[in-house]
């Protein structure tokens, strides 16, 4: 009789544990839905799968890679991006193009280089929200935290503009 009661209790506890797990799952789902609704509609609209291209010799190119890093939104587990595991040939081409570009870039006067950094600074400022949304989507940070990351990056660019000589 004691064993039966223990068996019944064990069965009851198993049902209870399953209910607790289901309740926790429901609470987590509700939290994620609520969190998703709090994000901007533009950000939700951008939750789609993209494929990152390589940037070689001043142009974006599809990679010939056979393997990819998959980037998932930690909040929704949606695949949001695939990044190529660039081939050796593509890598070598990018390094060669950068080496060739540096031959002329090193002759550019510091004030002209500084102007490029000012343009970069303006582009970051103009796109702070888009950059923060991308960080949120790919890393699961809150929008406020992601904006802070963008601002910290902007501070680095600002520092570069102050070191023209």
């Amino acid at each position: 009789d004691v064993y039966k009661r223990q068996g019944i209790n064990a069965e009851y506890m198993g049902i209870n544990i399953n209910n607790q797990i289901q309740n926790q799952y429901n609470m987590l789902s509700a939290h994620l839905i609520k969190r998703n609704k709090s994000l901007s509609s533009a950000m939700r609209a951008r939750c789609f799968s993209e494929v990152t291209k390589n940037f070689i010799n001043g142009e974006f190119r599809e990679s010939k890679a056979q393997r990819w890093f998959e980037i998932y939104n930690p909040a929704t587990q949606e695949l949001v991006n695939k990044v190529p595991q660039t081939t050796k040939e593509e890598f070598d081409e990018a390094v060669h193009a950068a080496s060739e570009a540096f031959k002329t870039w090193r002759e550019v006067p510091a004030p002209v280089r500084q102007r490029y950094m000012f343009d970069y600074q303006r582009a970051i400022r103009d796109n702070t929200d888009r950059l923060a949304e991308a960080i949120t989507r790919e890393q699961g940070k809150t929008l406020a935290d992601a904006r802070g990351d963008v601002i910290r990056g902007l501070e680095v660019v600002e520092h570069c503009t102050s070191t023209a000589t």
Side-chain angles (χ1 to χ4, degrees):
D1 199 33
V2 172
Y3 294 111
K4 280 187 178 179
R5 274 190 272 146
Q6 286 179 347
I8 292 169
N9 286 341
E11 183 180 1
Y12 171 77
M13 287 186 67
I15 292 168
N16 226 6
I17 289 170
N18 286 338
N19 286 341
Q20 288 176 1
I21 291 170
Q22 185 64 44
N23 287 340
Q24 288 174 350
Y25 173 79
N26 291 341
M27 286 173 25
L28 178 60
S29 296
H31 170 73
L32 291 176
I33 290 167
K34 182 179 176 185
R35 181 176 175 193
N36 229 6
K37 285 182 181 174
S38 69
L39 298 176
S40 73
S41 59
M43 182 175 172
R44 286 195 310 275
R46 290 186 48 86
C47 288
F48 63 94
S49 182
E50 295 180 9
V51 175
T52 297
K53 295 179 180 180
N54 286 328
F55 188 75
I56 301 172
N57 201 22
E59 63 185 26
F60 288 99
R61 299 184 189 172
E62 297 285 340
S63 177
K64 295 179 179 90
Q66 299 298 311
R67 297 176 61 198
W68 302 80
F69 295 106
E70 294 183 338
I71 311 299
Y72 290 90
N73 180 328
T76 64
Q77 295 306 306
E78 288 180 85
L79 178 65
V80 294
N81 201 340
K82 289 171 66 174
V83 179
Q85 294 185 28
T86 300
T87 66
K88 181 179 180 344
E89 293 78 21
E90 291 167 331
F91 182 81
D92 290 344
E93 184 182 0
V95 169
H96 177 73
S99 296
E100 289 300 310
F102 182 69
K103 290 177 183 176
T104 55
W105 178 251
R106 70 177 165 206
E107 302 301 324
V108 174
V112 175
R113 290 186 196 190
Q114 185 182 35
R115 176 56 39 210
Y116 281 103
M117 294 307 291
F118 281 128
D119 291 344
Y120 185 45
Q121 180 183 36
R122 184 176 45 256
I124 292 171
R125 280 204 176 111
D126 291 348
N127 292 285
T128 297
D129 288 340
R130 283 185 59 202
L131 293 166
E133 288 172 355
I135 292 169
T136 296
R137 189 173 55 252
E138 293 182 3
Q139 297 180 14
K141 292 184 175 191
T142 65
L143 236 93
D145 192 22
R147 280 190 187 104
D149 285 355
V150 175
I151 298 304
R152 283 185 287 283
L154 183 59
E155 289 170 351
V156 172
V157 175
E158 288 170 345
H159 175 73
C160 289
T161 60
S162 69
T163 57
T165 56

